[in-house]
């Protein structure tokens, strides 16, 4: 009996409470004949009559009365559970799990997260920062943030943060005083560099220019790291040339601890995107975050 259809049990309870197929059918927006067929199916599975039906009345049998007494609390629990799930769909409550690059976690997400969470106090934000590309859904995340060249084509993507970012090159004043100022990216091959290495172990090469003028340089590294704080500090200490997101270096340049170089070779590129698998059955926290980002974008364009 464990495989009895829940829908048929629910039909029995509704008709037994209303003592009428017609009334129960009207409240459910279905035909009385559909409910009658469901009840016949249930009685056949149980091998016992649950309701006495005449042209004037519908009354539970003794077996029907006992079943209704046991069934009503269970159906109430199920209805409550479904209502709770529905509230998670319709209201922004629950956990939003994001996988984002380090630059986004440090420089782009913090102000957005603050405004979003103040507007949605029932949402908990879980953020994992890593620069490698992963299958966010398989890893248990609701969405990811990546740059355009790393987006899966079957994903939905919306802008997050600045629409243009830049890669710049810099070094400490004392390093430049000792080694000279590079005038061309190829000159970097005669310098020491502070380079970023992904968690996969792949060291990031330095790309300059576009099209036929594009150059890819792998200068000798004095430090290979995947921790930007260490990389920036090494540059400040005069250990070598650094090339990375402008946001990481701008405060040090403003303070005079680093000097921008090769400014004719600054690389501009589109800002990051939030990406996710489907608009259907989107978790409420993710839907709220998507709506929030779209509103932020509209405000920035005004």
């Amino acid at each position: 009996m464990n495989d009895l259809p829940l829908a048929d049990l629910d039909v029995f309870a509704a008709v037994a409470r209303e003592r009428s197929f017609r009334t129960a059918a009207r409240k459910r927006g279905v035909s009385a004949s559909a409910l009658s067929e469901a009840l016949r199916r249930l009685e056949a599975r149980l091998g016992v009559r649950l309701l006495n039906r005449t042209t004037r009345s519908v009354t539970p049998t003794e077996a029907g009365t006992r079943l209704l007494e046991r069934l009503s609390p269970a159906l109430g629990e199920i209805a409550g559970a479904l209502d709770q799930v529905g509230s998670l769909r319709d209201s922004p409550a629950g956990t939003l799990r994001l996988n984002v690059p380090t630059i986004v976690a440090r420089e782009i997400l913090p102000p957005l997260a603050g405004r979003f969470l103040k507007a949605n106090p029932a949402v908990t934000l879980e953020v994992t920062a890593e620069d490698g590309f992963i299958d966010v859904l398989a890893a248990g995340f609701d969405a990811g943030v990546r740059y355009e060249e790393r987006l899966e084509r079957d994903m939905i993507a919306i802008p997050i943060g600045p629409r243009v970012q830049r890669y710049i090159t810099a070094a400490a004043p004392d390093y430049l005083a000792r080694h000279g100022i590079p005038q061309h990216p190829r000159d970097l091959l005669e310098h020491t560099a502070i380079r970023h290495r992904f968690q996969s172990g792949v060291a990031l090469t330095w790309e300059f220019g576009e099209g036929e003028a594009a150059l890819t340089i792998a200068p000798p590294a004095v430090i290979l790291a995947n921790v930007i704080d260490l990389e920036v500090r090494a540059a400040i200490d005069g250990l070598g040339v650094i090339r990375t997101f402008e946001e990481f270096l701008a405060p040090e340049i403003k303070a005079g601890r680093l000097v921008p170089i090769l400014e004719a070779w600054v690389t501009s590129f589109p800002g990051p995107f939030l990406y996710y698998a489907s608009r259907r059955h989107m978790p409420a926290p993710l839907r709220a975050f998507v709506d929030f980002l779209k509103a932020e974008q509209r405000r920035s364009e005004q």
Side-chain angles (χ1 to χ4, degrees), residues 103 106-107 166 168 170-171 173 228-229 232-233 235-236 242 244-260:
I103 178 66
R106 289 178 59 109
E107 303 293 336
R166 305 199 314 164
I168 64 173
I228 190 61
D229 293 329
V232 173
R233 182 57 196 235
I236 292 171
I242 188 170
T244 187
F245 288 95
E246 184 175 26
E247 289 89 344
F248 287 147
L249 303 183
E252 310 306 329
I253 291 173
K254 183 177 181 180
R257 290 186 285 268
L258 293 176
V259 176

Side-chain angles (χ1 to χ4, degrees), residues 197-236:
R197 182 172 61 189
F198 294 115
Q199 290 175 328
S200 65
V202 175
L204 185 66
T205 55
W206 292 357
E207 298 179 1
F208 296 86
E210 297 179 0
E212 294 182 359
L215 293 172
T216 299
I217 304 295
V222 65
I223 285 182
L224 279 170
N226 65 355
V227 181
I228 190 61
D229 293 329
L230 174 63
E231 297 166 44
V232 173
R233 182 57 196 235
I236 292 171

Side-chain angles (χ1 to χ4, degrees), residues 17-291:
R17 283 192 294 264
E18 298 295 341
R19 303 290 178 104
S20 168
F21 282 93
R22 191 184 301 275
T23 302
R26 185 175 64 251
K27 289 185 175 181
R28 287 167 170 263
V30 298
S31 67
S33 61
L35 298 189
S36 181
E37 175 58 30
L39 186 63
R40 281 195 295 269
R41 189 165 57 240
L42 179 61
E43 288 177 331
R45 294 284 294 278
L46 291 173
V48 64
R49 178 176 286 274
L50 298 173
L51 297 175
N52 289 318
R53 283 95 86 186
T54 70
T55 56
R56 295 187 177 183
S57 67
V58 175
T59 58
T61 64
E62 181 180 356
T65 299
R66 291 183 179 182
L67 179 60
L68 184 63
E69 289 174 353
R70 299 291 299 273
L71 199 57
S72 293
L75 291 175
E77 287 291 324
I78 292 171
L82 293 176
D83 287 343
Q84 188 176 33
V85 171
S87 71
L88 291 176
R89 177 199 65 213
D90 298 329
S91 63
T95 301
L96 174 60
R97 298 174 179 85
L98 300 179
N99 184 283
V100 307
T102 303
I103 178 66
V104 173
R106 289 178 59 109
E107 303 293 336
I108 296 173
L109 192 57
L112 293 174
R115 292 194 293 272
F116 171 70
L117 292 174
K118 285 179 181 177
N120 299 275
V123 173
T124 298
L125 184 62
E126 290 186 7
V127 179
T128 297
E130 58 182 326
D131 294 319
F133 187 75
I134 67 168
D135 184 336
V136 293
L137 297 182
F141 296 96
D142 297 303
V145 176
R146 289 296 183 272
Y147 287 84
E148 193 170 26
E149 72 276 7
R150 304 298 296 275
L151 292 177
E152 294 287 345
R153 297 307 173 194
D154 59 348
M155 290 285 186
I156 298 165
I158 63 169
I160 179 172
R163 297 324 313 135
V164 177
Q165 288 184 269
R166 305 199 314 164
Y167 246 64
I168 64 173
T169 314
D174 70 305
Y175 175 89
L176 296 175
R178 287 183 284 115
H179 298 280
I181 300 175
Q183 301 299 313
H184 190 278
R186 291 192 189 92
D187 296 342
L188 294 173
L189 296 175
E190 305 301 322
H191 287 257
T192 55
I194 299 155
R195 292 171 56 193
H196 188 78
R197 182 172 61 189
F198 294 115
Q199 290 175 328
S200 65
V202 175
L204 185 66
T205 55
W206 292 357
E207 298 179 1
F208 296 86
E210 297 179 0
E212 294 182 359
L215 293 172
T216 299
I217 304 295
V222 65
I223 285 182
L224 279 170
N226 65 355
V227 181
I228 190 61
D229 293 329
L230 174 63
E231 297 166 44
V232 173
R233 182 57 196 235
I236 292 171
D237 288 343
L239 297 179
V241 177
I242 188 170
R243 180 171 171 81
T244 187
F245 288 95
E246 184 175 26
E247 289 89 344
F248 287 147
L249 303 183
E252 310 306 329
I253 291 173
K254 183 177 181 180
R257 290 186 285 268
L258 293 176
V259 176
I261 59 175
L262 298 174
E263 293 184 87
W265 295 86
V266 167
T267 302
S268 299
F269 50 91
F273 293 82
L274 177 83
Y275 71 100
Y276 52 96
S278 173
R279 291 188 179 92
R280 295 188 62 192
H281 309 306
M282 191 186 303
L286 177 57
R287 182 177 296 280
F289 191 55
V290 168
D291 291 342

